[in-house]
Amino acid sequence: MEILVRLLALLVVLLVGTGLRASGILDAGRTDKLNAVAYYVALPALIFVSTYDQAIGELLSLALVGGLLLVLFTTAGLAWVVHRNQETSGRQSVAIVQSYHSNLGYLGLPLVAATFADHVTAIASVILGVVTLVQVPLTILVLSTVNGADAELAEEIRGLAANPVLLSLIAGLAIGSIGVTFPGAVVLGLDAVGSLALPLALLCVGASLEIDLPSVDYGATGSVVALKIVAMPVLAWIVFSALAVDTATFVASVVMLGTPTAVSTYVFAAELEGDEEFASLNVFATTLVSIVTLFVLITLIT
């Protein structure tokens, strides 16, 4: 019951963000500022606090990396097959990337931090880093290839080097590995800032969601939902069970890969000639339905 209440609270915050956008309170400028606070301040603080006191060897393993890559590329391959007959290249490319590109930072990691023990959160932070390094270039490659759009892939990859999420992860793991002690007051302050990551992110996601019901392609959107928040976590469950990883790694991996489509896929679609309206709809649909599927996943795991 506690998990259900928590997830319903997430849905309420998400819908509040949508309502604030509709009322004009969260206009584009304010949403961008709120998004910057979440992305450059709250989320890095959460990642650092989760990893600063743990050595990298305790969190990162060959089984974890191998399992993540297997699930990611298998889901992407399935998406390519399922969506190969979409009516336009713009819709096909968006359907493919939104079937595997997970909302790990804005929803996955904060949700894990709010639900599970610190060690699970630390592993989830590593998962965020590993998958981000792969899914962002893959998404750019798919969109630019299918749509014939120009994309500075090398520039995007260089941009990852300055990504605050990855930098905070590297800093936390480095400090944890060499055993530096941080003052309790500093840790408490960062922990308080990190706790804002989830509500701020949900407000931003809600403020970015738009839907035009008359134009909905239920078959295409339904297939994206089925692949992203049903097939992908089920595949993760099977893969990490077969790899016989420890419980914390299993829990973090399944929950993180069971998150909905990332809002950033809408941005990539807009930049690389994808179907923007379709992309926005899929973010909304996967986020909404994931309230139910994440409840089922977390209930089964715990």
Side-chain angles (χ1 to χ4, degrees):
M1 180 60 70
E2 181 182 355
I3 296 171
L4 179 59
V5 170
R6 184 173 293 160
L7 288 172
L8 288 176
L10 301 186
L11 176 60
V12 169
V13 177
L14 184 77
L15 294 177
V16 166
T18 303
L20 291 175
R21 176 188 57 79
S23 66
I25 296 175
L26 267 183
D27 57 19
R30 293 191 182 108
T31 300
D32 287 343
K33 291 176 182 177
L34 198 64
N35 184 70
V37 173
Y39 187 67
Y40 289 100
V41 180
L43 188 55
L46 173 60
I47 293 171
F48 183 82
V49 169
S50 301
T51 55
Y52 83 98
D53 58 350
Q54 302 195 53
I56 188 171
E58 299 174 356
L59 305 175
L60 187 63
S61 66
L62 183 60
L64 174 61
V65 175
L68 292 172
L69 294 179
L70 178 58
V71 174
L72 178 62
F73 283 108
T74 300
T75 307
L78 287 172
W80 191 282
V81 173
V82 170
H83 301 303
R84 67 187 184 280
N85 293 325
Q86 289 296 327
E87 58 188 35
T88 65
S89 59
R91 178 157 293 196
Q92 179 192 24
S93 62
V94 167
I96 291 170
V97 301
Q98 292 192 317
S99 295
Y100 68 78
H101 196 124
S102 303
N103 192 343
L104 302 177
Y106 270 13
L107 183 58
L109 181 60
L111 176 62
V112 169
T115 310
F116 299 101
D118 291 344
H119 187 58
V120 179
T121 304
I123 294 174
S125 297
V126 173
I127 292 171
L128 169 59
V130 172
V131 176
T132 296
L133 286 172
V134 179
Q135 72 177 8
V136 170
L138 179 61
T139 289
I140 295 169
L141 181 63
V142 170
L143 286 168
S144 58
T145 300
V146 175
N147 297 328
D150 292 329
E152 295 295 336
L153 184 58
E155 182 178 342
E156 293 289 345
I157 293 174
R158 284 194 297 270
L160 288 173
N163 186 303
V165 169
L166 297 178
L167 290 177
S168 59
L169 175 61
I170 293 170
L173 292 175
I175 290 172
S177 297
I178 62 179
V180 174
T181 301
F182 265 72
V186 174
V187 174
L188 286 175
L190 289 173
D191 190 45
V193 173
S195 67
L196 298 174
L198 185 54
L200 288 177
L202 286 170
L203 286 174
C204 292
V205 171
S208 69
L209 297 180
E210 296 184 25
I211 181 171
D212 182 11
L213 288 175
S215 65
V216 172
D217 182 340
Y218 292 100
T221 294
S223 62
V224 172
V225 171
L227 282 169
K228 181 65 209 68
I229 59 174
V230 179
M232 195 170 191
V234 168
L235 180 59
W237 191 299
I238 294 170
V239 168
F240 285 99
S241 295
L243 290 172
V245 296
D246 61 87
T247 301
T249 299
F250 176 82
V251 169
S253 300
V254 172
V255 174
M256 289 288 277
L257 294 175
T259 53
T261 299
V263 181
S264 61
T265 57
Y266 169 81
V267 178
F268 287 129
E271 293 178 350
L272 297 171
E273 301 180 19
D275 188 327
E276 298 177 44
E277 185 176 331
F278 182 59
S280 178
L281 170 63
N282 291 338
V283 171
F284 176 84
T286 57
T287 302
L288 186 63
V289 179
S290 71
I291 300 298
V292 176
T293 57
L294 284 170
F295 169 69
V296 173
L297 272 180
I298 294 172
T299 300
L300 290 174
I301 287 174
T302 56

